[in-house]
Amino acid sequence: AQSVAQPEDQVKVAEGNPLTVKCTYSVSGNPYLFWYVQYPNRGLQFLLKYITGDNLVKGSYGFEAEFNKSQTSFHLKKPSALVSDSALYFCAVRDRSGGSYIPTFGRGTSLIVHP
Amino acid sequence: DGGITQSPKYLFRKEGQNVTLSCEQNLNHDAMYWYRQDPGQGLRLIYYSQIVNDFQKGDIAEGYSVSREKKESFPLTVTSAQKNPTAFYLCASTSGGGTRYNEQFFGPGTRLTVL
């Protein structure tokens, strides 16, 4: 079975400070990992994904994420937060082979960036 | 301008009524999905379809039905058997039906409220 944990329901940071939104995963094999962002009353938007290769993945809007196989983590980061980054962030995992074809989503982390 | 459209944006249902939510995509994607989103519960999969004329139940299919007669369309019917349908419904699609590393594209959502 595959699963995703986002241990923080809410993360608060000041504008200009670095931000981290945490994600840990569990799969029977090797993972494909995804981050999405959701603004209020909107659908999810894809930010970035890890397929293979470099453990540091760069995505949209200045976000990046680091894949750590030993810690089974895929934390989302940004060096300098903007107020407009305030939104709901979802991590998702898919097993590379076997297991479920359907991605499993975390419960989401609400990011609040205050001025 | 490619993407996924969902209609209506807001929908109100009376007790005992069936209602149908529309999802259309012009991305030429093979796989389509329906999710239900409730506050604090992340995304829960209702149904998915990897090819035309075929679909599979997700985790919470009871009280819902779907059809996939055309590649670009995947309507969801919320039947009167669904006792608590008030939620935000999201449709998504992915290219390459069996390809696990492709990200999902989401529609803007339909908010269904039971009166």
Side-chain angles (χ1 to χ4, degrees), chain A residues 36 38 41 49 94 98 101, chain B residues 37 97 100 102-104:
Chain A
Y36 295 86
Q38 184 182 33
N41 296 309
K49 65 183 175 184
R94 255 181 175 153
Y101 162 82
Chain B
Q37 186 177 22
R100 294 177 178 231
N102 287 336
E103 64 272 20
Q104 290 173 300

Side-chain angles (χ1 to χ4, degrees), chain A residues 34 36 46 94 103 105, chain B residues 33 35 92-94 102-106:
Chain A
F34 307 83
Y36 295 86
F46 169 72
R94 255 181 175 153
F105 285 82
Chain B
Y33 313 77
Y35 291 94
S93 69
T94 311
N102 287 336
E103 64 272 20
Q104 290 173 300
F105 288 75
F106 284 81

Side-chain angles (χ1 to χ4, degrees), chain A residues 6 8 11 19-23 35 74-76 89 109 111:
Chain A
Q6 294 183 241
E8 300 155 317
V11 170
L19 70 86
T20 298
V21 182
K22 295 179 180 178
C23 172
W35 275 103
F74 190 56
H75 301 332
L76 182 70
Y89 290 81
T109 298
L111 174 66

Side-chain angles (χ1 to χ4, degrees), chain A residues 65-112:
Chain A
E66 186 167 12
F67 172 64
N68 187 317
K69 188 172 183 178
S70 62
Q71 297 186 5
T72 62
S73 67
F74 190 56
H75 301 332
L76 182 70
K77 300 181 180 183
K78 188 174 182 181
S80 178
L82 300 172
V83 172
S84 57
D85 292 330
S86 299
L88 191 57
Y89 290 81
F90 290 95
C91 181
V93 66
R94 255 181 175 153
D95 203 324
R96 284 178 181 264
S97 60
S100 174
Y101 162 82
I102 301 301
T104 298
F105 285 82
R107 296 169 72 115
T109 298
S110 177
L111 174 66
I112 298 173

Side-chain angles (χ1 to χ4, degrees), chain B residues 56-69:
Chain B
Q56 307 295 328
K57 292 182 179 180
D59 302 319
I60 56 165
E62 185 175 351
Y64 300 96
S65 65
V66 294
S67 63
R68 186 84 187 277
E69 297 176 0

